[in-house]
Amino acid sequence: MQQDILSRLAEIVGQDYVSDHTPDLYLYSRDPGAQKPRQTDYVVMPRTVDEVQRIVKLANQKKIPLTPMGGGLTLSALTVPVRGGIVLDMKRMDSIIEVNEASRYAAIEAGVTQASLGAYLEKHHPHLQHSTPESPPTATIVGNILIHGHGHLTPRYGVNSQMVNGMEVVLPTGEVCRLGSSSISPNWFTRDPLPDLMGLFLGWLGTTGIVTKLSMQLFPKPNYRDLLLFVADSTDLIPEIILELSEINLLENCFIITQEKPRWAQRIYYIIVISGQSQAEFDTKRNLHNQIFQTHQDKMWQVDEDPALTPLRERFLGVPPFAATAADFRKGGGFEYTGAILPIEVIPQAWQKGIEIAHKYNFFYQLGIQLLPNGHSVMLAFSYAFNRAIPEEADRARGALDDTNRLTLELGGVVWKPELPAQKLILERMDPGTRKLIHKVKKMLDPNGIMNPGNWEVS
Ligand SMILES: Cc1cc2nc3c(=O)[nH]c(=O)nc-3n(C[C@H](O)[C@H](O)[C@H](O)COP(=O)(O)OP(=O)(O)OC[C@H]3O[C@@H](n4cnc5c(N)ncnc54)[C@H](O)[C@@H]3O)c2cc1C
């Protein structure tokens, strides 16, 4: 059977783009996070939609699991198959199909990375930008959007999945369909006002179909951009400041961070990115934001001009901002985080408990808030750096993740991009009616259960 599947896949994509060799599969059996490796039997790299369809039909015929993969960088092992089978690596589908300047969107294939779209825009449409996550440059636009990822424009314009105008999807049975305006027009410019089928694929962790094309909104690149830096010692102020920021609703991005090492970083840093097309717009925004912080002068300080913080300023002003370069990596390179999507009012409690969990598992704490659209909620990242060459450290990272996921749910939050154990915790707590609906939708779209079975699994 193994040889038969391999040669059938080779007939579809060509000999060079399929493998069952152990060294190749090694890479597809793990990701950079703390989850344990799992078995992958084949990897295949299609170039066309027709090839994707033929692979899906083969997987149905042979009842073999199929796991779609972009950059494989969620850290939650979401592209590592749970029950073996084929990893469908989309990286060769890397064309930028169209950038529309007037309606401001980019239509792309599924393998287009954050870096390649960024570089393309810089060269051909320098006054446009997309909302760029902090993830490594090889992360794909589609993979990020399908997990409801966030970028540097999220507080102002929305979570990246809210920016989708349309998609082309190969369904788990092999049919292909288009969603949004592209279903009736050559223009990929809007998601409304048709029945919104995008939700059948966003947040499903690749279990309901294979996205082959996607259109996303672009935004004007500002002429003026800078950041304001404030520091405080108490977490109690955080909800109040977020409310005040949302009342004026003029910022581009906002992070609130702390970490245990170096010692000066133990305070609570507010990093406010402001931007504008004109000097007047920019100055107004800067003044309005400064005023917010001036009203709390007794509890916080402006540290924009502190030369010790210059490297921090540069990292946060970059696109992508901050990024892995700022993390306290241990030798061996492992890094994990729970992305907790939290209501504003529980932040002080979550912050305190996060520090306790890090210490319980013998990690230095590292906490970072990214504001979500209009400050209605936040993503609080509880990060754990570990050396992947030391199994005991990876065990501790998994223990800390588990505690943090439980804390998130106890505080009424939602775990973002959940790894398998976190998915189970979420499903246990989920309204039974919702679980049943998930089951029905998956059964309807994927009658043979081939799409990454084991993920979002409801029996
Ligand atoms: C240092 C670091 C910083 C990060 N910072 C951020 C951040 O700021 N914001 C953020 O949002 N994320 C961040 N992440 C998390 C993650 O890297 C990103 O969200 C990344 O964009 C995911 O894209 P990917 O291509 O790696 O997706 P993948 O891991 O390849 O895929 C994600 C999910 O989508 C499915 N999938 C992928 N492609 C397809 C397809 N074509 N059709 C159907 N299903 C598919 C996969 O099966 C999987 O379930 C960070 C990660 C790291 C390591």
Side-chain angles (χ1 to χ4, degrees):
M1 157 126 158
Q2 178 106 359
Q3 205 46 44
D4 175 39
I5 290 175
L6 194 71
S7 52
R8 298 276 299 274
L9 288 170
E11 272 166 33
I12 298 171
V13 295
Q15 202 75 47
D16 290 346
Y17 297 109
V18 58
S19 177
D20 67 348
H21 291 169
T22 310
D24 295 331
L25 298 182
Y26 178 92
L27 296 171
Y28 290 90
S29 304
R30 65 204 72 224
D31 83 349
Q35 300 306 302
K36 288 188 174 156
R38 298 192 288 256
Q39 185 185 328
T40 299
D41 298 307
Y42 313 89
V43 56
V44 59
M45 300 183 78
R47 177 64 201 99
T48 65
V49 178
D50 176 62
E51 288 174 7
V52 174
Q53 288 183 274
R54 289 167 63 197
I55 295 165
V56 170
K57 284 177 185 159
L58 176 67
N60 272 284
Q61 211 184 352
K62 301 284 181 188
K63 307 273 188 301
I64 182 165
L66 196 56
T67 301
M69 172 181 180
L73 287 162
T74 58
L75 301 173
S76 320
L78 296 177
T79 58
V80 181
V82 178
R83 310 237 166 90
I86 305 169
V87 170
L88 188 70
D89 184 335
M90 302 297 283
K91 288 191 197 69
R92 286 178 69 223
M93 299 185 69
D94 62 354
S95 300
I96 294 170
I97 301 160
E98 181 198 358
V99 171
N100 183 311
E101 291 236 351
S103 299
R104 294 181 304 285
Y105 67 79
I108 54 158
E109 287 188 326
V112 169
T113 63
Q114 300 294 337
S116 60
L117 181 63
Y120 184 89
L121 292 175
E122 189 68 43
K123 185 164 175 198
H124 301 286
H125 308 275
H127 53 280
L128 289 176
Q129 60 175 337
H130 74 288
S131 185
T132 311
E134 290 174 55
S135 33
T138 51
T140 60
I141 304 281
V142 167
N144 176 262
I145 283 177
L146 290 180
I147 58 164
H148 295 296
H150 330 112
H152 76 294
L153 301 176
T154 282
R156 180 157 184 200
Y157 294 116
V159 170
N160 291 354
S161 53
Q162 291 171 306
M163 299 172 183
V164 178
N165 290 333
M167 290 180 190
E168 178 186 80
V169 188
V170 173
L171 299 175
T173 40
E175 299 102 322
V176 63
C177 64
R178 285 196 175 177
L179 316 177
S181 58
S182 69
S183 65
I184 53 165
S185 141
N187 295 327
W188 290 78
F189 74 110
T190 183
R191 175 178 186 151
D192 327 319
L194 301 165
D196 191 354
L197 296 169
M198 241 66 77
L200 289 174
F201 307 97
L202 298 170
W204 289 78
L205 310 180
T207 61
T208 49
I210 296 147
V211 175
T212 43
K213 297 188 182 71
L214 181 143
S215 162
M216 66 187 290
Q217 295 171 348
L218 302 174
F219 302 92
K221 212 180 217 176
N223 296 318
Y224 299 85
R225 201 160 171 268
D226 202 358
L227 57 78
L228 306 174
L229 262 173
F230 300 90
V231 64
D233 285 324
S234 161
T235 52
D236 295 347
L237 262 187
I238 297 176
E240 201 176 325
I241 297 283
I242 291 176
L243 177 66
E244 289 171 17
L245 290 171
S246 79
E247 278 166 359
I248 57 172
N249 196 18
L250 287 174
L251 48 74
E252 177 184 298
N253 203 356
C254 170
F255 299 97
I256 306 169
I257 59 166
T258 191
Q259 62 180 43
E260 194 158 357
K261 296 286 174 184
R263 269 191 77 175
W264 60 261
Q266 289 179 7
R267 307 184 95 177
I268 299 165
Y269 289 85
Y270 290 77
I271 294 149
I272 311 288
V273 182
I274 47 168
S275 55
Q277 294 304 338
S278 67
Q279 183 76 54
E281 179 194 345
F282 177 75
D283 288 345
T284 305
K285 287 181 179 172
R286 181 164 44 200
N287 292 338
L288 286 168
H289 285 99
N290 277 336
Q291 276 168 27
I292 290 185
F293 289 93
Q294 276 156 14
T295 58
H296 299 286
Q297 263 174 7
D298 51 332
K299 294 186 195 135
M300 56 198 318
W301 307 267
Q302 189 152 11
V303 286
D304 293 4
E305 305 303 331
D306 185 341
L309 298 178
T310 306
L312 194 66
R313 286 177 66 85
E314 284 165 7
R315 276 179 178 160
F316 277 98
L317 263 180
V319 177
F322 192 35
T325 50
D328 173 26
F329 282 116
R330 302 287 311 279
K331 194 175 171 209
F335 162 62
E336 258 298 0
Y337 67 103
T338 289
I341 311 295
L342 292 176
I344 304 298
E345 61 277 16
V346 303
I347 294 170
Q349 206 182 340
W351 195 278
Q352 188 49 44
K353 296 265 183 203
I355 292 174
E356 289 168 17
I357 292 173
H359 287 165
K360 174 178 166 193
Y361 288 93
N362 203 16
F363 288 113
F364 294 131
Y365 65 78
Q366 193 182 1
L367 303 172
I369 283 178
Q370 153 120 59
L371 219 62
L372 296 182
N374 307 324
H376 278 113
S377 60
V378 294
M379 193 275 288
L380 174 44
F382 302 81
S383 302
Y384 307 106
F386 64 96
N387 183 337
R388 62 175 56 260
I390 303 176
E392 181 271 335
E393 282 203 16
D395 282 349
R396 280 196 279 122
R398 280 193 295 277
L401 277 185
D402 188 52
D403 276 22
T404 318
N405 292 334
R406 287 173 192 276
L407 169 71
T408 302
L409 295 168
E410 276 159 24
L411 291 176
V414 184
V415 179
W416 171 53
K417 62 177 183 61
E419 64 283 353
L420 274 187
Q423 289 177 27
K424 292 205 170 76
L425 292 178
I426 293 172
L427 289 169
E428 271 165 29
R429 284 164 175 75
M430 194 178 267
D431 164 53
T434 313
R435 272 209 315 264
K436 210 165 163 187
L437 180 61
I438 288 180
H439 184 64
K440 273 190 194 167
V441 170
K442 284 178 69 166
K443 196 82 198 144
M444 175 191 68
L445 289 173
D446 182 14
N448 289 323
I450 59 154
M451 295 302 297
N452 198 3
N455 274 277
W456 276 152
E457 190 162 76
V458 191
S459 48

